[in-house]
Amino acid sequence: MIDASARDDLSKVLGERVQFDVPMSRHTSLRIGGPADAFATPADRSELRALLGVCRDRRLHLTVIGAGFNCLVTDQGIDGVVVTLRKFRGLEERSGPSIYAEAGVSHSAVTRLCVERGLSGMEFAAGIPGTVGGWIMMNAGIGVRELKDVTLEVGVVTPEAPEEVTLARSVLDFRYRELRGLPEHGVVVSARFSLEPSSRDQVKAEVNRLLAHRSSTQPLDVPSCGSVFRNPEGDFAGRLIEAAGLSGERIGGAEFSDVHANFIANVGGARAADVLALIECARTRVRDASGVELQTEVHVIGRSE
Ligand SMILES: Cc1cc2nc3c(=O)[nH]c(=O)nc-3n(C[C@H](O)[C@H](O)[C@H](O)COP(=O)(O)OP(=O)(O)OC[C@H]3O[C@@H](n4cnc5c(N)ncnc54)[C@H](O)[C@@H]3O)c2cc1C
């Protein structure tokens, strides 16, 4: 919980861009999650830095989220401050060709710019919902294509460094669906992506092909968080879940999709506890059926009691 004087400090720095006791169900694609003690939407880097300073001085726990497409927030909510960079919307073509995007830019805005300018290389990411910050932190991708393949550099703000630090691709430790090695408490504020000249029609055709494939293979009409489990080496979590007989399995309002078995959908009034119970059920059944230990891709965030 945040005491009254820490609340005052946060309000002094952010004004109405900080709110208290905000239900996280409003900020996650699963539409699930209890309240965050504070929810902050800084307008720019200087407000972000000031916010990080208050969190450090007041020892408030800080959680960064993008658009919440890969987050499961517990029913008990989140301690401390949740910050989102949704106001960081700078997006432009640069030399190379490349594009520079701030962390809050949406997947669809990046795709629109690439199509408009006929820039190729990021078509694979067109249907991966979220923000540039979330893409980078998750090393989001499909098949063998991942954000790491196009990332030139990442801008990071920390409570300690007065200036934004630019980290080149060579020092970024991208792994399967994660990025390691950022400075402690570092928040990604921007990224630059390397692209290739192409034509508007070609980029558009490839984007449309991938989006059509996605809508025929994923349940996009119900709230979900995408793939719940990482694919184990040489296999697919969805295949293992289906083989364990879990397609369509339901607990409370949460259900393993029968369109894509690695998706859990909120089919109505699901609680985080329902989703967590399904996750445990899949772990046990897949372990029993195939000996594979499934690891979650979705980030579970929040108080556990
Ligand atoms: C229908 C559907 C389909 C999907 N398909 C795919 C797919 O094909 N491939 C794929 O890889 N993923 C997929 N996902 C998952 C999701 O789209 C990606 O993980 C995406 O990168 C999440 O972006 P986000 O902005 O919503 O991040 P969030 O979910 O908000 O955050 C993800 C993680 O990044 C951290 N984070 C976010 N922003 C920042 C920042 N600025 N600085 C520091 N840390 C930050 C958060 O703390 C969290 O740990 C899918 C999800 C859905 C719902």
Side-chain angles (χ1 to χ4, degrees):
M1 297 309 259
I2 302 181
D3 65 30
S5 91
R7 281 184 179 218
D8 283 350
D9 282 0
L10 289 167
S11 296
K12 267 183 216 141
V13 163
L14 289 162
E16 59 194 22
R17 286 178 295 286
V18 62
Q19 296 177 320
F20 300 97
D21 305 314
V22 174
M24 288 302 296
S25 51
R26 293 188 199 150
H27 298 287
T28 59
S29 58
L30 261 168
R31 302 279 169 258
I32 289 175
D37 291 342
F39 189 85
T41 318
D44 53 29
R45 284 162 175 73
S46 87
E47 270 191 13
L48 172 63
R49 264 191 227 103
L51 168 67
L52 296 182
V54 173
C55 291
R56 181 196 52 205
D57 298 345
R58 291 286 186 167
R59 296 176 186 274
L60 300 176
H61 187 261
L62 183 86
T63 305
V64 189
I65 66 157
F69 279 97
N70 196 55
C71 294
L72 169 61
V73 177
T74 59
D75 300 313
Q76 295 83 351
I78 303 181
D79 256 332
V81 179
V82 173
V83 59
T84 175
L85 303 193
R86 71 166 62 124
K87 291 192 188 293
F88 287 54
R89 289 291 175 95
L91 174 65
E92 61 189 37
E93 184 178 351
R94 296 247 172 115
S95 61
S98 64
I99 58 174
Y100 167 86
E102 289 191 317
V105 171
S106 71
H107 68 286
S108 47
V110 173
T111 302
R112 261 198 312 275
L113 184 72
C114 290
V115 170
E116 238 170 54
R117 306 288 165 93
L119 296 172
S120 175
M122 291 187 80
E123 294 89 334
F124 75 93
I128 304 179
T131 61
V132 164
W135 268 1
I136 292 285
M137 290 308 291
M138 294 305 299
N139 186 22
I142 54 168
V144 294
R145 294 284 284 159
E146 296 176 317
L147 258 289
K148 74 169 171 41
D149 303 328
V150 289
T151 302
L152 290 170
E153 58 194 24
V154 168
V156 177
V157 163
T158 66
E160 280 70 34
E163 295 302 323
E164 177 175 338
V165 183
T166 301
L167 302 172
R169 167 72 186 85
S170 54
V171 301
L172 297 168
D173 186 8
F174 283 110
R175 312 272 178 106
Y176 173 58
R177 299 295 173 267
E178 63 178 314
L179 169 61
R180 294 192 191 172
L182 286 189
E184 208 182 350
H185 306 304
V187 179
V188 171
V189 292
S190 66
R192 199 156 65 85
F193 304 116
S194 166
L195 293 152
E196 283 172 17
S198 175
S199 73
R200 191 189 155 106
D201 286 350
Q202 264 179 328
V203 177
K204 192 173 177 185
E206 181 60 0
V207 163
N208 287 343
R209 186 185 73 77
L210 290 167
L211 291 180
H213 177 70
R214 198 174 271 275
S215 47
S216 65
T217 53
Q218 296 182 353
L220 300 181
D221 53 344
V222 278
S224 82
C225 58
S227 294
V228 172
F229 296 103
R230 295 160 168 240
N231 286 325
E233 185 108 25
D235 210 336
F236 293 98
R239 192 197 70 75
L240 292 164
I241 292 165
E242 213 170 309
L246 283 163
S247 284
E249 185 86 4
R250 184 166 176 172
I251 297 180
E255 185 176 284
F256 272 112
S257 165
D258 48 17
V259 179
H260 189 312
N262 197 13
F263 277 48
I264 291 177
N266 178 354
V267 290
R271 294 162 46 82
D274 301 335
V275 179
L276 290 168
L278 266 187
I279 287 175
E280 273 325 298
C281 169
R283 278 208 175 110
T284 307
R285 297 260 291 266
V286 167
R287 189 187 306 124
D288 291 349
S290 60
V292 174
E293 202 61 53
L294 288 176
Q295 307 291 335
T296 47
E297 178 170 320
V298 61
H299 288 191
V300 181
I301 302 174
R303 294 180 264 254
S304 52
E305 345 189 291

